[in-house]
Amino acid sequence: MSAPFSAQPFDLVIRNANVATASDTFMADIGIRNGVIEQLGRGIAPGRKEIDAAGRTVTPGGVDGHCHLDQPMPPPARMADDFDTGTRAAACGGTTTVIPFAAQVKGQSLQAAVDDYHRRASGRAHIDYAFHLIVSDPTPDVLSRELPTLIAQGHSSFKIYMTYDDLKLDDGQILDVLETAKQHNALVMVHAENADCIEWLTRRLQAGGHTAPRFHGRSRPMLVEREATHRAIALAELVDVPILIVHVSGREAVEQIRWARAHGLNIFAETCPQYLFLSADDLGVDDNYLGAKCVCSPPPRDKANQEVIWNALIEGLFTVFSSDHAPFNYGGTHGKHPDGKEVAFPYIPNGIPGIETRMPLLYSEGVLKGRITVNKFVELTSTNAARAYGLHPRKGTVAIGADADLVIWDEREVEISNDMLHHATDYTPYAGIVLKAWPGVTLSGGDVVWDGTEFHPRPGRGRFLQCAAPTLLPKK
Ligand code: DUC
Ligand code: ZN
Ligand code: ZN
C-alpha cells in the first residue's frame, strides 16, 4: 500500500486512522500531497501538518449525487442556497462532492442551461462539483447533437421527470432519451410519479376545499409512484438500458424495483433522508401551514413505510443515498410562502433542505445503531454515487491517487437545530433529532474545510469535475 519514498514531507498526514471504504476497514496513516492521497501505511514519514485520528473512523467524503443549488425557478420561487452556501453546508456535513442539476427550460438549448449553471457555480463553490442535466425538451437537435456533445464534455447523467408540467416527458420522449443514453453510455435518473393522476387528484381535493399542506401527500399517494416506477422500468427494459429511480419513498415503489431486479433488469435506486426520518404526519395532522416545511415529492409516507425503506436499505436494494436538498425558505416571499402568502398545496414549492444532515443522520442512525456496516454507509453515501456518475476512483474511496476528500468522524451527541447548520435556508425539518455522531474534520483536496467547530471558507476552491461513463456495471 506504500508509494515510492519522497524526501519532501507530506503536506498533511492523518495518523492512526481507522479507515473505512466500501469494501474494507483497516488501520493506516494517510499521507497527502498536492490534494491527493499519496501514501497509506503504518508509520509513514512526517507531514508539515498532522492530525491524530486515533480511535476515530475515517471515511471518504460524501458524494451527494442529487441536490439542487441555485436552480432557476419560475417566479416567485427562488432557492435559498447557491453554490456558496450550499457547498458550505455540504462540507460541514461531510460531503465533498456535489452534483446538482443544470436544468433545461422547455424551448431552451441544453448548452444554454449548462452555460448559465457554470456562471452560477464559478468562483463560489467550496468543494468540487459536477452537473447532471435535466432534459425537459428532447428535440431532435437535443437528442442527436446536444446530448452527445455534453456527455462527451463530462455530463454523463441526466434526470427526466414523469411529472411537473414544465418538466415532464411523455413515454415516447422518455424512450428517445433512454435510447440516446444507451448509445452514448450515460445514466438516466428518473423522477417517477404519474402526472395525470396527481393532476386529477389535485383538482378534486381543491374542489372539496382541501388545500392545506397535508393534502400534498393525499394528491400523490403511493400508487402514483408505483405506476410510474413500473412504467419507467418497462420503458428501460424495452430500450435495454439501465436507469436509476430517484427518491424512492415507500413500499409500492420498492416492490417494483425488487420485481425488476428479480427479472434480471439493471434498475438502480436511490432513497433520501426524508423517507427514513420524516413521515406523513410532518405534513400536518391538521390544516396548520407549518406542514409546508415538509412538502416534497414524492411526499414522506407513514411510519410503516419508513421501516420498509430502512429494510430495503439494509438488504441492499438501494444503490445511493442522496439528500435531494431542494432549499426553499419557510419565511419571506420566495419559498414556502409565495409572495408572502399561505397558498394552496399545489403552489407550495416542492423540496426540503438536507445537504448537511444527510451523512450524520445515516452514520448515527444507520451505522451506530447497528443497522448497516460502516462499509455499507460508505457505499451508499459516497462510492456508488462516484461510480454511477463517472467520478470513481478519483472520488468515493480512500486509495493512493484518489483526491484527499475525507471525513474524520466524531462520536458525540448533537441535537440538530437550524442554528448549527451552514445552509442559508431558514429551517431544517430534522430539528430536535439527537444524533450520536457528526463530522469532526472534513478535508476537501487535502484542505481542512470543516474542523468540527468552524467552517474554513474559500469560495472558488471547488473545481468543476467532468464525469466519465458510469462504472456501476461490469464492463461488457
Ligand atoms: N422533488 C423534486 O422532484 N425535486 C426537488 C424537490 C422535490 O421535492
Ligand atoms: Zn425529483
Ligand atoms: Zn430532486
Side-chain angles (χ1 to χ4, degrees), residues 66-68 71 101 134 159 161 164 189 191 246-247 270 272 274 297 323-326 350-351:
H66 185 165
C67 53
H68 304 265
Q71 188 176 313
F101 298 86
I134 288 176
K159 185 174 177 189
Y161 287 80
Y164 296 133
M189 309 158 75
H191 179 129
V246 293
H247 43 52
E270 171 199 83
C272 311
Q274 46 272 41
S297 295
S323 69
D324 198 7
H325 181 79
N350 282 203

mmCIF file of all heavy atoms in Angstrom, residues 66-68 71 101 134 159 161 164 189 191 246-247 270 272 274 297 323-326 350-351, ligand 3:
data_model
loop_
_atom_site.group_PDB
_atom_site.id
_atom_site.type_symbol
_atom_site.label_atom_id
_atom_site.label_comp_id
_atom_site.label_asym_id
_atom_site.label_seq_id
_atom_site.Cartn_x
_atom_site.Cartn_y
_atom_site.Cartn_z
ATOM 1 N N HIS A 66 -27.494 13.939 -5.703
ATOM 2 C CA HIS A 66 -28.818 14.508 -6.013
ATOM 3 C C HIS A 66 -29.076 15.662 -5.054
ATOM 4 O O HIS A 66 -29.469 15.463 -3.904
ATOM 5 C CB HIS A 66 -29.895 13.428 -5.858
ATOM 6 C CG HIS A 66 -31.274 13.870 -6.256
ATOM 7 N ND1 HIS A 66 -32.292 12.986 -6.482
ATOM 8 C CD2 HIS A 66 -31.817 15.105 -6.458
ATOM 9 C CE1 HIS A 66 -33.403 13.640 -6.796
ATOM 10 N NE2 HIS A 66 -33.117 14.948 -6.787
ATOM 11 N N CYS A 67 -28.810 16.857 -5.533
ATOM 12 C CA CYS A 67 -29.107 18.047 -4.738
ATOM 13 C C CYS A 67 -29.360 19.198 -5.714
ATOM 14 O O CYS A 67 -28.912 19.156 -6.862
ATOM 15 C CB CYS A 67 -27.962 18.375 -3.787
ATOM 16 S SG CYS A 67 -26.354 18.514 -4.572
ATOM 17 N N HIS A 68 -30.111 20.166 -5.266
ATOM 18 C CA HIS A 68 -30.471 21.299 -6.129
ATOM 19 C C HIS A 68 -29.908 22.569 -5.491
ATOM 20 O O HIS A 68 -30.233 22.882 -4.342
ATOM 21 C CB HIS A 68 -31.988 21.419 -6.251
ATOM 22 C CG HIS A 68 -32.653 20.167 -6.750
ATOM 23 N ND1 HIS A 68 -32.958 19.970 -8.082
ATOM 24 C CD2 HIS A 68 -33.051 19.036 -6.103
ATOM 25 C CE1 HIS A 68 -33.541 18.775 -8.225
ATOM 26 N NE2 HIS A 68 -33.607 18.194 -7.040
ATOM 27 N N GLN A 71 -30.915 26.577 -8.579
ATOM 28 C CA GLN A 71 -31.544 26.140 -9.837
ATOM 29 C C GLN A 71 -32.622 27.154 -10.199
ATOM 30 O O GLN A 71 -33.468 27.466 -9.354
ATOM 31 C CB GLN A 71 -32.142 24.745 -9.629
ATOM 32 C CG GLN A 71 -32.645 24.086 -10.889
ATOM 33 C CD GLN A 71 -33.134 22.662 -10.584
ATOM 34 O OE1 GLN A 71 -32.471 21.877 -9.908
ATOM 35 N NE2 GLN A 71 -34.312 22.329 -11.065
ATOM 36 N N PHE A 101 -28.056 20.119 -10.626
ATOM 37 C CA PHE A 101 -28.641 19.919 -11.958
ATOM 38 C C PHE A 101 -28.633 21.197 -12.802
ATOM 39 O O PHE A 101 -29.177 22.223 -12.384
ATOM 40 C CB PHE A 101 -30.097 19.484 -11.824
ATOM 41 C CG PHE A 101 -30.266 18.173 -11.094
ATOM 42 C CD1 PHE A 101 -30.333 18.142 -9.713
ATOM 43 C CD2 PHE A 101 -30.353 16.977 -11.797
ATOM 44 C CE1 PHE A 101 -30.489 16.934 -9.033
ATOM 45 C CE2 PHE A 101 -30.513 15.764 -11.135
ATOM 46 C CZ PHE A 101 -30.575 15.749 -9.741
ATOM 47 N N ILE A 134 -30.868 18.242 -16.607
ATOM 48 C CA ILE A 134 -32.299 17.915 -16.596
ATOM 49 C C ILE A 134 -32.785 18.142 -18.022
ATOM 50 O O ILE A 134 -32.654 19.248 -18.562
ATOM 51 C CB ILE A 134 -33.088 18.789 -15.603
ATOM 52 C CG1 ILE A 134 -32.762 18.358 -14.161
ATOM 53 C CG2 ILE A 134 -34.604 18.671 -15.861
ATOM 54 C CD1 ILE A 134 -33.407 19.216 -13.084
ATOM 55 N N LYS A 159 -31.373 13.783 -15.566
ATOM 56 C CA LYS A 159 -32.627 13.463 -14.886
ATOM 57 C C LYS A 159 -33.785 13.788 -15.818
ATOM 58 O O LYS A 159 -33.770 14.812 -16.506
ATOM 59 C CB LYS A 159 -32.750 14.273 -13.586
ATOM 60 C CG LYS A 159 -33.987 13.899 -12.756
ATOM 61 C CD LYS A 159 -34.015 14.609 -11.393
ATOM 62 C CE LYS A 159 -35.290 14.267 -10.625
ATOM 63 N NZ LYS A 159 -35.467 15.077 -9.423
ATOM 64 N N TYR A 161 -38.233 13.764 -15.843
ATOM 65 C CA TYR A 161 -39.397 13.823 -14.960
ATOM 66 C C TYR A 161 -40.612 13.220 -15.650
ATOM 67 O O TYR A 161 -40.850 13.478 -16.834
ATOM 68 C CB TYR A 161 -39.709 15.280 -14.598
ATOM 69 C CG TYR A 161 -38.739 15.902 -13.616
ATOM 70 C CD1 TYR A 161 -37.509 16.389 -14.040
ATOM 71 C CD2 TYR A 161 -39.062 16.003 -12.268
ATOM 72 C CE1 TYR A 161 -36.620 16.960 -13.141
ATOM 73 C CE2 TYR A 161 -38.179 16.577 -11.355
ATOM 74 C CZ TYR A 161 -36.961 17.051 -11.797
ATOM 75 O OH TYR A 161 -36.086 17.610 -10.911
ATOM 76 N N TYR A 164 -44.699 17.169 -13.127
ATOM 77 C CA TYR A 164 -44.426 18.614 -13.161
ATOM 78 C C TYR A 164 -44.621 19.113 -14.610
ATOM 79 O O TYR A 164 -43.874 18.721 -15.525
ATOM 80 C CB TYR A 164 -43.012 19.006 -12.693
ATOM 81 C CG TYR A 164 -42.684 18.707 -11.257
ATOM 82 C CD1 TYR A 164 -41.484 18.079 -10.910
ATOM 83 C CD2 TYR A 164 -43.555 19.056 -10.220
ATOM 84 C CE1 TYR A 164 -41.153 17.800 -9.596
ATOM 85 C CE2 TYR A 164 -43.237 18.787 -8.900
ATOM 86 C CZ TYR A 164 -42.031 18.158 -8.588
ATOM 87 O OH TYR A 164 -41.719 17.891 -7.295
ATOM 88 N N MET A 189 -31.563 9.279 -14.718
ATOM 89 C CA MET A 189 -32.207 9.262 -13.400
ATOM 90 C C MET A 189 -33.681 9.628 -13.635
ATOM 91 O O MET A 189 -33.972 10.599 -14.342
ATOM 92 C CB MET A 189 -31.577 10.331 -12.499
ATOM 93 C CG MET A 189 -30.051 10.266 -12.448
ATOM 94 S SD MET A 189 -29.309 11.843 -11.952
ATOM 95 C CE MET A 189 -29.666 11.847 -10.203
ATOM 96 N N HIS A 191 -37.457 10.637 -12.204
ATOM 97 C CA HIS A 191 -38.428 11.045 -11.181
ATOM 98 C C HIS A 191 -39.754 10.403 -11.583
ATOM 99 O O HIS A 191 -40.384 10.809 -12.555
ATOM 100 C CB HIS A 191 -38.548 12.567 -11.128
ATOM 101 C CG HIS A 191 -39.552 13.045 -10.125
ATOM 102 N ND1 HIS A 191 -39.259 14.002 -9.171
ATOM 103 C CD2 HIS A 191 -40.847 12.703 -9.896
ATOM 104 C CE1 HIS A 191 -40.326 14.217 -8.421
ATOM 105 N NE2 HIS A 191 -41.317 13.447 -8.847
ATOM 106 N N VAL A 246 -34.972 7.692 -8.800
ATOM 107 C CA VAL A 246 -34.542 8.557 -7.687
ATOM 108 C C VAL A 246 -35.634 8.656 -6.619
ATOM 109 O O VAL A 246 -36.788 8.314 -6.844
ATOM 110 C CB VAL A 246 -34.138 9.975 -8.175
ATOM 111 C CG1 VAL A 246 -32.879 9.898 -9.024
ATOM 112 C CG2 VAL A 246 -35.263 10.671 -8.916
ATOM 113 N N HIS A 247 -35.233 9.131 -5.475
ATOM 114 C CA HIS A 247 -36.065 9.389 -4.277
ATOM 115 C C HIS A 247 -37.232 8.416 -4.104
ATOM 116 O O HIS A 247 -38.395 8.815 -4.100
ATOM 117 C CB HIS A 247 -36.517 10.851 -4.209
ATOM 118 C CG HIS A 247 -36.998 11.512 -5.466
ATOM 119 N ND1 HIS A 247 -37.966 10.961 -6.252
ATOM 120 C CD2 HIS A 247 -36.656 12.691 -6.060
ATOM 121 C CE1 HIS A 247 -38.201 11.778 -7.281
ATOM 122 N NE2 HIS A 247 -37.407 12.834 -7.182
ATOM 123 N N GLU A 270 -32.406 5.017 -5.649
ATOM 124 C CA GLU A 270 -31.923 5.991 -4.662
ATOM 125 C C GLU A 270 -33.011 6.203 -3.614
ATOM 126 O O GLU A 270 -34.200 6.245 -3.932
ATOM 127 C CB GLU A 270 -31.657 7.311 -5.402
ATOM 128 C CG GLU A 270 -31.346 8.490 -4.491
ATOM 129 C CD GLU A 270 -31.547 9.815 -5.231
ATOM 130 O OE1 GLU A 270 -32.710 10.285 -5.311
ATOM 131 O OE2 GLU A 270 -30.555 10.371 -5.710
ATOM 132 N N CYS A 272 -33.595 8.779 0.173
ATOM 133 C CA CYS A 272 -33.134 10.049 0.739
ATOM 134 C C CYS A 272 -33.547 10.095 2.214
ATOM 135 O O CYS A 272 -34.479 9.394 2.639
ATOM 136 C CB CYS A 272 -33.777 11.229 0.013
ATOM 137 S SG CYS A 272 -33.677 11.128 -1.786
ATOM 138 N N GLN A 274 -35.374 11.994 3.925
ATOM 139 C CA GLN A 274 -36.769 12.322 4.267
ATOM 140 C C GLN A 274 -37.653 11.086 4.331
ATOM 141 O O GLN A 274 -38.680 11.106 5.006
ATOM 142 C CB GLN A 274 -37.360 13.363 3.309
ATOM 143 C CG GLN A 274 -37.140 13.165 1.845
ATOM 144 C CD GLN A 274 -35.851 13.795 1.347
ATOM 145 O OE1 GLN A 274 -34.834 13.711 2.015
ATOM 146 N NE2 GLN A 274 -35.869 14.404 0.172
ATOM 147 N N SER A 297 -41.572 16.014 -3.061
ATOM 148 C CA SER A 297 -42.165 14.973 -3.895
ATOM 149 C C SER A 297 -41.125 13.944 -4.312
ATOM 150 O O SER A 297 -40.050 14.337 -4.763
ATOM 151 C CB SER A 297 -42.777 15.582 -5.155
ATOM 152 O OG SER A 297 -43.854 16.402 -4.799
ATOM 153 N N SER A 323 -29.296 13.525 -0.797
ATOM 154 C CA SER A 323 -30.110 14.432 0.037
ATOM 155 C C SER A 323 -31.390 14.898 -0.660
ATOM 156 O O SER A 323 -32.375 15.186 -0.007
ATOM 157 C CB SER A 323 -29.286 15.659 0.437
ATOM 158 O OG SER A 323 -29.038 16.488 -0.687
ATOM 159 N N ASP A 324 -31.370 15.025 -1.977
ATOM 160 C CA ASP A 324 -32.413 15.776 -2.697
ATOM 161 C C ASP A 324 -32.642 17.142 -2.033
ATOM 162 O O ASP A 324 -33.788 17.613 -1.926
ATOM 163 C CB ASP A 324 -33.719 15.004 -2.836
ATOM 164 C CG ASP A 324 -34.618 15.582 -3.935
ATOM 165 O OD1 ASP A 324 -34.163 16.490 -4.662
ATOM 166 O OD2 ASP A 324 -35.768 15.128 -4.052
ATOM 167 N N HIS A 325 -31.539 17.735 -1.573
ATOM 168 C CA HIS A 325 -31.596 19.091 -1.000
ATOM 169 C C HIS A 325 -32.245 20.021 -2.029
ATOM 170 O O HIS A 325 -31.712 20.233 -3.123
ATOM 171 C CB HIS A 325 -30.159 19.531 -0.711
ATOM 172 C CG HIS A 325 -29.997 20.888 -0.096
ATOM 173 N ND1 HIS A 325 -30.196 21.141 1.241
ATOM 174 C CD2 HIS A 325 -29.603 22.072 -0.636
ATOM 175 C CE1 HIS A 325 -29.944 22.414 1.498
ATOM 176 N NE2 HIS A 325 -29.583 23.009 0.372
ATOM 177 N N ALA A 326 -33.408 20.549 -1.686
ATOM 178 C CA ALA A 326 -34.114 21.490 -2.576
ATOM 179 C C ALA A 326 -34.608 22.607 -1.656
ATOM 180 O O ALA A 326 -35.691 22.532 -1.092
ATOM 181 C CB ALA A 326 -35.251 20.798 -3.301
ATOM 182 N N ASN A 350 -41.868 22.624 -4.028
ATOM 183 C CA ASN A 350 -41.541 21.277 -3.542
ATOM 184 C C ASN A 350 -40.072 21.196 -3.164
ATOM 185 O O ASN A 350 -39.206 21.533 -3.974
ATOM 186 C CB ASN A 350 -41.794 20.240 -4.634
ATOM 187 C CG ASN A 350 -43.261 19.889 -4.809
ATOM 188 O OD1 ASN A 350 -43.582 18.829 -5.309
ATOM 189 N ND2 ASN A 350 -44.168 20.767 -4.394
ATOM 190 N N GLY A 351 -39.816 20.684 -1.986
ATOM 191 C CA GLY A 351 -38.424 20.430 -1.629
ATOM 192 C C GLY A 351 -38.116 20.807 -0.203
ATOM 193 O O GLY A 351 -38.764 21.685 0.375
HETATM 194 ZN ZN ZN B 3 -34.584 16.440 -6.751
#
